[in-house]
Amino acid sequence: MTKETAAFFVTVMKYLKSNGTPIPQNDVWIAAGVLETGSVLLTRDAHFQLIPMIRVCG
């Protein structure tokens, strides 16, 4: 976990809150890590479809 990860966490949380689509905090941390590394997330968890700034495959 880095300061950059925490900054992405805040960005995702604000986005989800402003859209009225909260998801579990653990999933927000995963999304923050994906954003920080520029990775593609392989998952079937529909929560991640609510975060358009990450790339999801699954």
Side-chain angles (χ1 to χ4, degrees):
M1 205 72 57
T2 66
K3 288 181 182 180
E4 289 79 18
T5 313
F8 283 119
F9 176 88
V10 171
T11 299
V12 173
M13 284 294 286
K14 285 182 179 180
Y15 173 82
L16 293 169
K17 185 175 181 179
S18 71
N19 286 313
T21 55
I23 66 173
Q25 281 192 358
N26 288 341
D27 289 350
V28 178
W29 281 115
I30 292 167
V34 169
L35 283 169
E36 182 178 13
T37 61
S39 301
V40 176
L41 180 62
L42 178 59
T43 183
R44 291 184 182 173
D45 188 335
H47 289 139
F48 294 102
Q49 299 298 330
L50 300 171
I51 310 169
M53 62 275 282
I54 66 170
R55 296 182 301 162
V56 178
C57 180

